[in-house]
Amino acid sequence: AGYRTVESVAYVTKKHLLTVKGISEAKADKLLNEAMKLIPMGFTTATEFHQRRSDLVQITTGSKELDKLLQGGIETGSITEMFGEFRTGKTQLCHTMAVTCQLPIDMGGGEGKCLYIDTEGTFRPERLLAVAERYKLNGPAVLDNVAYARAFNSDHQSQLLLQASAMMAESRYALLIVDSATALYRTDYSGRGELASRQMHLARFLRTLLRLADEFGIAVVITNQVVAQVDGAAMFASDPKKPIGGHIMAHSSTTRLYLRKGRGETRICKIYDSPCLPEAEAMFAIGEDGVSDAKD
C-alpha cells in the first residue's frame, strides 16, 4: 500500500488506512495513535522550527548566479517547480542536478542518490557523464546512483511514486525529479468535461510528492509546460504564457521558477512564487557540461 515508514502512517488519514487489506477500524485507530507517539505532530516554537530550517541541505544547480538567487540552491523537503516553453533549459537543469545531488554537502550536494521519472522521453545518460566529468566524479558510479523510470500514462506516473517510496526506505536518496509532471495529463484527459477528474488526479499526485519530501527529507524538482493565453486579456499582457495545471499546481509547489530564453546559450530564471525568496532574476548558461554561469 506504500506505507513503509512510521511517518507515512502518521501522515495518512484514517480513511486511507482502512482501504489497506486486513486493517479494521480498531486497528487503524491503534496504528495512528502509536505513530503519533513516535512522530512529533503537535505545536513547536518558531525558534525550534528556525533551527530545523537552518539545518536544511540545499542542492546546487551548477550555476553560482542561480544558487545566489535561490539563496543556496534547491531546498530539500519541499517541491520546486520549473516552468517555461521548450528550449528554456528545464531538462538540462534536471540532468545537472541529478549529478550535483551526489556531491558531498560541503560542495553543494546532498550526498544521496537521484530518482528520475521521465514522461517525455528526454532523459540522456550521456549528459550525466559530461556533468560528472566537470565535477571530477566517477562516471559509471554516477550513473549507478541514478534510478530512472519512464512513465507511460498518468496512472503509471502515480504508481511509480509507490515504488519510489520503497526505494527511499532502503537507501539514501537526495533528489526526486519528475520531468515533466503535467505532460501526460494534457493527453490523458481532454476537454472541459474531464477537467475536474484531471485536477483531482494531479492534486493526488502532487500530494504524494509532498509526502515523500516530508517523509524522507528529499528535494523534489518537477518541470511544467506552459500554455499561451489566447483570450482578450492576452493582448495587454507583456508575456501571454502561463503554466498549466491551474491553481492546484500553483498551491502545491513551494517555489516556482519561470525560465525563459536569453541570447545564444543563456537562459533567464525568475522567481515566480516563493514563501521566502524575493522576486528577482538570474542568468545562467547551458554548455556541454550542463548548467553553469553565463560568460560575459
Side-chain angles (χ1 to χ4, degrees), residues 79 81 119 153-155 157-158 161 178 180-186 188-189 194-211 222-225 243-253 256:
I79 298 178
E81 176 201 343
T119 65
N153 60 55
S154 49
D155 287 336
Q157 188 174 315
S158 295
L161 291 189
V178 187
S180 116
T182 47
L184 297 172
Y185 286 95
R186 287 185 104 165
D188 288 359
Y189 298 87
E194 291 184 310
L195 185 62
S197 52
R198 178 187 96 163
Q199 291 302 83
M200 206 55 242
H201 197 294
L202 180 62
R204 275 199 299 270
F205 174 73
L206 293 167
R207 174 73 188 272
T208 312
L209 282 180
L210 193 56
R211 205 188 75 205
I222 58 177
T223 67
N224 192 3
Q225 300 176 342
I244 63 170
H247 292 291
I248 280 181
M249 194 75 177
H251 293 305
S252 301
S253 316
R256 307 187 88 189

Side-chain angles (χ1 to χ4, degrees), residues 234-249:
M235 289 163 60
F236 308 104
S238 56
D239 191 352
K241 291 179 288 293
K242 63 175 187 179
I244 63 170
H247 292 291
I248 280 181
M249 194 75 177

Side-chain angles (χ1 to χ4, degrees), residues 73-253:
I74 298 291
E75 194 178 272
T76 52
S78 67
I79 298 178
T80 303
E81 176 201 343
M82 303 187 291
F83 69 90
E85 52 183 336
F86 65 96
R87 212 171 68 84
T88 49
K90 301 186 295 292
T91 301
Q92 297 306 322
L93 266 165
C94 290
H95 279 72
T96 304
M97 285 187 288
V99 176
T100 61
C101 74
Q102 303 178 34
L103 291 168
I105 286 171
D106 57 1
M107 283 176 71
E111 283 183 20
K113 299 178 184 178
C114 171
L115 271 162
Y116 201 112
I117 297 174
D118 175 22
T119 65
E120 298 176 326
T122 51
F123 178 73
R124 297 290 179 270
E126 309 87 275
R127 299 291 294 142
L128 301 187
L129 291 171
V131 181
E133 205 173 295
R134 165 182 160 191
Y135 286 102
K136 298 181 173 54
L137 296 171
N138 175 6
V142 163
L143 293 187
D144 282 342
N145 285 336
V146 177
Y148 166 78
R150 174 79 196 272
F152 294 100
N153 60 55
S154 49
D155 287 336
H156 181 219
Q157 188 174 315
S158 295
Q159 192 61 40
L160 285 171
L161 291 189
L162 287 180
Q163 291 178 34
S165 69
M167 290 160 74
M168 286 176 200
E170 282 164 21
S171 68
R172 162 98 183 113
Y173 281 86
L175 178 66
L176 167 61
I177 294 168
V178 187
D179 181 30
S180 116
T182 47
L184 297 172
Y185 286 95
R186 287 185 104 165
T187 48
D188 288 359
Y189 298 87
S190 57
R192 292 234 165 142
E194 291 184 310
L195 185 62
S197 52
R198 178 187 96 163
Q199 291 302 83
M200 206 55 242
H201 197 294
L202 180 62
R204 275 199 299 270
F205 174 73
L206 293 167
R207 174 73 188 272
T208 312
L209 282 180
L210 193 56
R211 205 188 75 205
L212 290 176
D214 285 336
E215 217 176 295
F216 299 101
I218 56 160
V220 176
V221 172
I222 58 177
T223 67
N224 192 3
Q225 300 176 342
V226 291
V227 62
Q229 285 172 282
V230 287
D231 53 5
M235 289 163 60
F236 308 104
S238 56
D239 191 352
K241 291 179 288 293
K242 63 175 187 179
I244 63 170
H247 292 291
I248 280 181
M249 194 75 177
H251 293 305
S252 301
S253 316

Side-chain angles (χ1 to χ4, degrees), residues 27-42:
K27 211 182 256 185
D29 284 332
K30 200 172 178 192
L31 274 171
L32 288 171
N33 285 335
E34 291 304 315
M36 281 176 179
K37 286 178 194 169
L38 295 168
I39 307 296
M41 288 176 71

